Amino acid sequence: MAYRLVNMVVILVSLFVLGASGNDDQGTKWAVLVAGSNGYVNYRHQADVCHAYQILKKGGLKDENIIVFMYDDIAFNTENPRPGVIINNPRGGNVYQGVPKDYIGDDVTTSNLLAAILGNKGGLKGGSGKVVNSGPNDHIFIYYTDHGAPGVLTMPGGDDLYAKDFIEALKKKHASGTYKSMVIYVEACEAGSIFDGLLPKGLNIYATTASNPSENSYGTYCPDTDPAVPSEYHTCLGDLYSVSWMEDSDKQNRQTETLEKQYQVVKTRTGNAKEYSSHVMQYGDIDLSNEFLAIYMGATSSSKHHGKHTPSKDDEEGSSTYLTSTVDQHQADLVYLKEKWLRAPEGSKEKNEARIRLEEEMSHRKHVDNSIQAIGDILFGAQNGAVVLNSVRPAGKPLVDDWDCLKTTVKIYTSHCGPLSTYGKKYMRAFANICNAGIHVDHMAQASSQACT
């Protein structure tokens, strides 16, 4: 009798330890990794995604369960000083090796992304055909990194993912009963606007964002910042929120660290940056943050053996207490263009082309700034224009009431004033406020025409 009792205690203790270690063998781990940009100027976004892939791969996730969206124009770009190599840290290794090329180039689209999340192979156009074919006991991790803007996640082809459409897809995924829980990490400017007032509780979804609904997120490991990047690089290697969660995941025991613990680590590091900082936010079913990282990211080989971690100098510089230098996401491309111009030989064709690109970018920004201001003045008067366009709604209220109006207003502007570009999309809140003010589309068209002709 005593022998049986001892055996029962051993079994119960083993089960408790297994649960406490973060292992969940009752389902498959799925991941969707998205870099929403292209061009060497945006090196950091694909570097982020490649690093995330390596974390999941080392955690035991299979390639068949990791879906990668990235343009794939960085590793062998003529500007890359290390062909075939992508790094996400000044002293980091190659994170590009082995990364699946599921959706690259023109296949990195909003429609393909939503189809992949929903497991809808029929909705795909191009790509590997891989989708989240998940079941009711499965766990899903979604990570997105790019510029972003109020209410939108940008994509390289210009078919931006609007917050309302993303949330509707998540609701549809939940209604299908094809997952147990989901975690979403979003690196983007105004990332909180994707979920604030839109993501309801009860979907078994926990989301964290690099920024609140009304502030920028920031690039890091950039030229002329601390820590210094290798001299041959003239672009940012990572994004602060992203490298914060990934460097934490690299060194911590994911079987014992919770999502909440990582949220606090990332919040501290992102909020304590040297030049600029943002407020990391969390949305949805916050109770899920008590779960262990391993449920979504897998466990590292060291954590499986509960090996002790010996802190190093690199760890110190990647910890929550290290004050990392940052660059405003909206200014990162100017840093790149300026560095390219400064490094080009005097009198060379390369230097002249770099100067022209820099001047064109500055001219475009001035045009967008002036045209938006003019539209606001025309619609609301010179004294009220800026106040209305820049107004921020209270927490818990979505960016805009009528999302179709927002899409239409953006189209009207671009038809009269030209493309917004990544920089110009920071004015999405202005367009939303035009809709919230009840401005008719005809009046918007008249104001845009007047401002830009």
Side-chain angles (χ1 to χ4, degrees):
M1 181 69 179
Y3 177 78
R4 289 182 180 177
L5 181 60
V6 169
N7 276 347
M8 181 65 69
V9 170
V10 170
I11 290 172
L12 290 174
V13 170
S14 298
L15 289 173
F16 174 79
V17 171
L18 182 62
S21 69
N23 288 317
D24 187 340
D25 298 324
Q26 298 302 311
T28 300
K29 297 175 179 64
W30 294 84
V32 181
L33 310 177
V34 188
S37 66
N38 59 359
Y40 193 76
V41 61
N42 293 310
Y43 180 108
R44 62 196 183 279
H45 301 136
Q46 293 184 50
D48 291 339
V49 158
C50 289
H51 188 176
Y53 166 78
Q54 301 299 339
I55 289 171
L56 300 177
K57 186 67 174 177
K58 290 177 182 177
L61 274 72
K62 300 176 181 178
D63 280 353
E64 63 193 65
N65 301 122
I66 305 174
I67 305 172
V68 178
F69 286 78
M70 70 175 191
Y71 210 83
D72 195 31
D73 59 346
I74 300 302
F76 294 97
N77 193 293
T78 56
E79 295 187 59
N80 188 4
R82 303 178 188 178
V85 173
I86 295 178
I87 61 175
N88 195 220
N89 180 292
R91 287 169 297 280
N94 182 15
V95 293
Y96 182 69
Q97 186 173 2
V99 176
K101 297 176 174 60
D102 294 308
Y103 300 91
I104 62 175
D106 293 339
D107 295 332
V108 183
T109 64
T110 289
S111 58
N112 278 345
L113 173 58
L114 295 182
I117 292 173
L118 292 172
N120 176 21
K121 286 195 172 187
L124 296 171
K125 291 183 180 179
S128 67
K130 195 188 298 182
V131 299
V132 181
N133 188 25
S134 53
N137 293 318
D138 293 353
H139 305 280
I140 302 172
F141 175 63
I142 298 175
Y143 167 56
Y144 171 94
T145 176
D146 189 31
H147 295 277
V152 298
L153 298 177
T154 58
M155 295 294 273
D159 61 327
D160 297 338
L161 175 56
Y162 281 77
K164 182 68 172 179
D165 297 332
F166 185 37
I167 300 302
E168 289 303 315
L170 296 179
K171 290 178 180 178
K172 187 174 182 180
K173 185 70 173 178
H174 178 261
S176 70
T178 53
Y179 70 91
K180 184 175 182 180
S181 59
M182 182 187 301
V183 168
I184 304 174
Y185 283 7
V186 176
E187 170 82 64
C189 292
E190 293 90 15
S193 65
I194 303 300
F195 302 107
D196 194 31
L198 293 170
L199 180 64
K201 296 184 184 299
L203 299 183
N204 293 329
I205 296 176
Y206 170 70
T208 78
T209 62
S211 54
N212 68 28
S214 59
E215 66 185 354
N216 295 332
S217 65
Y218 297 93
T220 192
Y221 301 147
C222 302
D224 299 323
T225 63
D226 182 28
V229 301
S231 60
E232 64 267 29
Y233 287 91
H234 55 273
T235 188
C236 299
L237 305 180
D239 294 288
L240 183 55
Y241 162 89
S242 293
V243 300
S244 295
W245 78 257
M246 287 188 282
E247 290 174 3
D248 179 68
S249 297
D250 277 329
K251 70 181 182 180
Q252 297 300 335
N253 185 338
R254 287 178 243 154
Q255 291 178 307
T256 58
E257 182 172 6
T258 64
L259 292 161
E260 171 64 21
K261 172 61 177 177
Q262 183 163 92
Y263 166 73
Q264 294 297 337
V265 168
V266 175
K267 181 179 179 180
T268 299
R269 182 177 176 186
T270 305
N272 289 337
K274 287 184 178 178
E275 289 81 13
Y276 307 100
S277 61
S278 61
H279 300 83
V280 176
M281 306 295 288
Q282 53 184 349
Y283 299 95
D285 294 302
I286 308 299
D287 288 348
L288 286 177
S289 66
N290 293 319
E291 295 187 334
F292 296 103
L293 296 177
I295 293 177
Y296 302 92
M297 303 178 191
T300 60
S301 57
S302 61
S303 65
K304 285 179 180 177
H305 294 92
H306 303 285
K308 292 185 178 180
H309 177 77
T310 302
S312 66
K313 185 175 184 293
D314 285 355
D315 290 331
E316 179 185 347
E317 295 185 354
S319 72
S320 62
T321 59
Y322 183 75
L323 300 182
T324 312
S325 294
T326 56
V327 172
D328 184 335
Q329 288 270 25
H330 292 304
Q331 303 302 322
D333 54 348
L334 292 183
V335 170
Y336 160 81
L337 292 172
K338 181 181 177 182
E339 285 291 321
K340 192 170 183 180
W341 173 66
L342 289 173
R343 294 175 185 224
E346 287 294 335
S348 66
K349 179 181 178 182
E350 181 183 358
K351 195 173 190 71
N352 185 55
E353 290 176 346
R355 177 186 60 79
I356 292 173
R357 284 188 62 187
L358 183 58
E359 290 175 351
E360 287 177 344
E361 176 62 23
M362 296 298 292
S363 176
H364 168 74
R365 291 180 175 218
K366 184 177 180 180
H367 163 71
V368 173
D369 291 341
N370 291 341
S371 61
I372 296 294
Q373 179 182 343
I375 289 171
D377 291 349
I378 293 168
L379 292 175
F380 305 107
Q383 291 185 334
N384 297 323
V387 174
V388 175
L389 296 188
N390 296 325
S391 113
V392 178
R393 289 181 141 188
K397 196 167 186 179
L399 175 74
V400 65
D401 296 322
D402 187 342
W403 289 86
D404 289 332
C405 173
L406 176 59
K407 294 177 183 179
T408 300
T409 300
V410 172
K411 289 179 181 178
I412 290 172
Y413 173 86
T414 57
S415 68
H416 289 279
C417 302
L420 283 168
S421 78
T422 298
Y423 171 80
K425 288 174 184 176
K426 73 175 189 176
Y427 289 108
M428 292 296 293
R429 185 179 310 281
F431 297 129
N433 287 333
I434 289 172
C435 290
N436 293 334
I439 299 298
H440 193 275
V441 291
D442 290 341
H443 293 156
M444 175 61 187
Q446 292 171 4
S448 299
S449 177
Q450 183 178 338
C452 295
T453 55

